[in-house]
Amino acid sequence: MKVSPGAGSWIAAGVRHELLTRALPTLRHDMAAPVSVIRMGLLMLKRQVAASELDPVACAQRVELIDSQVGELTAGIRLLRHWELATEDSGITRSGLVAACVALMRAAFDLQGVALEVDATLVPVEDEPHWPRAAALRYMLLGAMGHLHDSVDAVGTIVIAPDGDNALLLTALPEPGAGAGPDSAHVHRAPRALAIDAIALQSLADDLGYEVRRDGDVLRLAFGAA
């Protein structure tokens, strides 16, 4: 069977799907939380309405709470569009990109015993430039984080730091005591078939047009075109 000319794009699409799947628990939680508050608010509002004496102030507070949660839920649904590569966006700052990706994956990494640490210098600054194609950059950074998570033995912390004006450095640090003995090292990996290995990450980078380079346990993601 001949290999499809678009095989590389299909591989990259599979990698993006896997990354979105890994981020879904956080996205689902962020959208489910307002629903729970809305249901509770409606229950309390029904009780207020059914009371012998209606309290307009209390009812107004419940309505205001429900309205605010509907707004949050709507915003969460709209954010799903940010995962579509074809959607035009206003770009994203480097610090904003890191903050968003860390927020998406921190809980999942913590469950595997891997900490995410952002360098103190990677903070929002005045007139920080916005990089175009926010969705593509999000996939790339999540892919870089997932690659180190899946491929580095005994990783304990992944540090994300700026590199120049247009790149990020991700460094995988060993967990404490990882070299103390044969039973002290742990491997934090996704199932083999779903791991973000070097080929998967490079396929993603080639398809999206970014440059990634790994040197040992340090990975560099450049925002400029490859």
Side-chain angles (χ1 to χ4, degrees):
M1 182 179 295
K2 295 183 178 180
V3 177
S4 167
S9 294
W10 278 108
I11 294 173
V15 177
R16 293 198 304 273
H17 180 270
E18 170 61 16
L19 293 171
L20 178 56
T21 299
R22 295 186 185 195
L24 270 180
T26 298
L27 295 173
R28 184 168 56 241
H29 176 271
D30 289 346
M31 287 190 288
V35 174
S36 298
V37 177
I38 290 170
R39 293 180 63 183
M40 182 60 68
L42 286 173
L43 177 61
M44 298 302 295
L45 184 59
K46 288 179 180 178
R47 290 180 179 177
Q48 292 285 345
V49 173
S52 57
E53 294 185 7
L54 186 65
D55 185 346
V57 175
C59 289
Q61 291 175 344
R62 301 301 177 191
V63 171
E64 184 178 353
L65 173 64
I66 294 171
D67 183 65
S68 67
Q69 294 304 303
V70 169
E72 289 193 19
L73 180 59
T74 302
I77 294 173
R78 287 175 177 170
L79 283 175
L80 292 177
R81 294 186 58 203
H82 293 182
W83 294 85
E84 301 175 17
L85 293 176
T87 301
E88 294 185 4
D89 56 58
S90 57
I92 192 169
T93 63
R94 183 169 59 176
S95 63
L97 172 69
V98 172
C101 291
V102 168
L104 282 170
M105 300 309 302
R106 186 182 296 280
F109 277 43
D110 283 346
L111 286 174
Q112 298 295 321
V114 180
L116 291 174
E117 181 179 317
V118 179
D119 188 273
T121 61
L122 196 57
V123 295
V125 296
E126 188 176 357
D127 297 328
E128 185 176 359
H130 281 68
W131 294 88
R133 305 174 65 211
L137 284 171
R138 184 182 298 106
Y139 279 119
M140 284 306 308
L141 182 51
L142 291 176
M145 293 162 59
H147 174 60
L148 292 179
H149 173 280
D150 294 352
S151 63
V152 177
D153 291 357
V155 58
T157 303
I158 295 176
V159 180
I160 306 175
D163 184 38
D165 296 327
N166 66 338
L168 289 169
L169 282 183
L170 289 79
T171 305
L173 303 177
E175 56 185 356
D183 298 327
S184 62
H186 303 282
V187 180
H188 305 289
R189 298 172 184 243
R192 182 180 298 273
L194 300 177
I196 309 298
D197 58 18
I199 294 176
L201 181 62
Q202 191 60 58
S203 297
L204 180 67
D206 292 343
D207 186 68
L208 295 179
Y210 293 97
E211 180 184 356
V212 289
R213 184 177 70 250
R214 179 173 169 181
D215 183 10
D217 291 342
V218 179
L219 187 149
R220 185 177 188 270
L221 166 61
F223 290 6

